[in-house]
Amino acid sequence: MSRLILIHGSFGNPDENWFPYLKAELATRFEIVAPQFPTGNDQTLDNWLEVFKNEIGELRENDILVGHSIGCAFILQLLSNKDSGKIQAALLVSGFLDILGIDEFDEVNKTFVTPEVDWSHIKNRIGEVKMWHGTNDPYVPITMAQKIATSLEVELVEVANGGHINSSAGFDQFPALKEQLLNI
């Protein structure tokens, strides 16, 4: 059974947005792991890596990582590490790897977005990549997601009026993501 690892965003938790929907819909298909990562002043790349190591351990070839917002940057940093293993897939939603120009978020996100990532290493570690981004995301310009898609040489699915693809934008469910997971 593949392990489905859900990575929430800044100031977030694994019980918000479309994560509960995925857990309920896919519980019989995947072993689902959705850790609570430190937020606020404790939100650093090192702290998140420590939680990942303690709660998830080493990556496995049949792992599927799903990230939302800064969770995508975390996934990219994780896979950029020379010691990271190969995974089956990474699904990135509302992702970025840049400073946003929003002080509240930039302060807690800076350790995730400032280290350079090794794109060729990342591409060699992921079997499949899929990306979604709202055309009117109030936090993350779509150009930031396009930059990641270009670097990974994958298609970016633009969600018309999708906002940040979170509960505030009406995304308590995400059927397109669920279908993608079922087809991996």
Side-chain angles (χ1 to χ4, degrees):
M1 181 180 283
S2 292
R3 197 166 52 161
L4 178 60
I5 302 167
L6 306 176
I7 312 291
H8 65 75
S10 295
F11 304 106
N13 68 74
D15 296 316
E16 67 180 359
N17 303 321
W18 33 265
F19 287 132
Y21 164 76
L22 289 182
K23 290 179 206 175
E25 294 286 314
L26 302 171
T28 59
R29 175 74 191 275
F30 298 97
E31 174 193 345
I32 300 175
V33 185
Q36 172 65 58
F37 290 96
T39 59
N41 291 333
D42 293 328
Q43 180 177 308
T44 66
L45 179 59
D46 286 341
N47 286 349
W48 279 36
L49 289 169
E50 186 67 24
V51 168
F52 192 91
K53 177 183 169 188
N54 291 337
E55 294 195 28
I56 296 164
E58 297 294 321
L59 289 172
R60 304 176 193 157
E61 283 193 40
N62 65 342
D63 283 345
I64 300 169
L65 299 176
V66 176
H68 180 250
S69 194
I70 199 64
C72 300
F74 176 75
I75 289 169
L76 295 171
Q77 292 293 351
L78 182 68
L79 295 173
S80 186
N81 184 313
K82 299 294 183 215
D83 296 327
S84 69
K86 191 171 187 138
I87 63 168
Q88 188 173 1
L91 307 180
L92 309 175
V93 181
S94 303
F96 63 99
L97 200 56
D98 296 284
I99 294 295
L100 299 173
I102 305 170
D103 292 344
E104 173 187 17
F105 290 104
D106 290 343
E107 185 59 33
V108 297
N109 292 341
K110 64 186 173 190
T111 61
F112 295 79
V113 301
T114 51
E116 289 291 322
V117 296
D118 183 337
W119 293 109
S120 62
H121 187 75
I122 293 170
K123 288 189 283 190
N124 289 328
R125 295 288 180 256
I126 306 174
E128 181 179 334
V129 180
K130 189 78 171 183
M131 294 182 64
W132 293 266
H133 202 90
T135 57
N136 61 335
D137 190 316
Y139 308 106
V140 183
I142 198 164
T143 53
M144 290 184 180
Q146 289 166 336
K147 183 175 159 184
I148 294 171
T150 299
S151 297
L152 291 174
E153 300 174 4
V154 299
E155 175 190 1
L156 173 65
V157 176
E158 296 183 12
V159 180
N161 299 311
H164 197 52
I165 309 182
N166 58 8
S167 292
S168 297
F171 282 85
D172 289 323
Q173 298 182 0
F174 198 170
L177 178 57
K178 175 187 142 187
E179 289 307 312
Q180 185 68 38
L181 286 163
L182 291 172
N183 289 315
I184 291 177

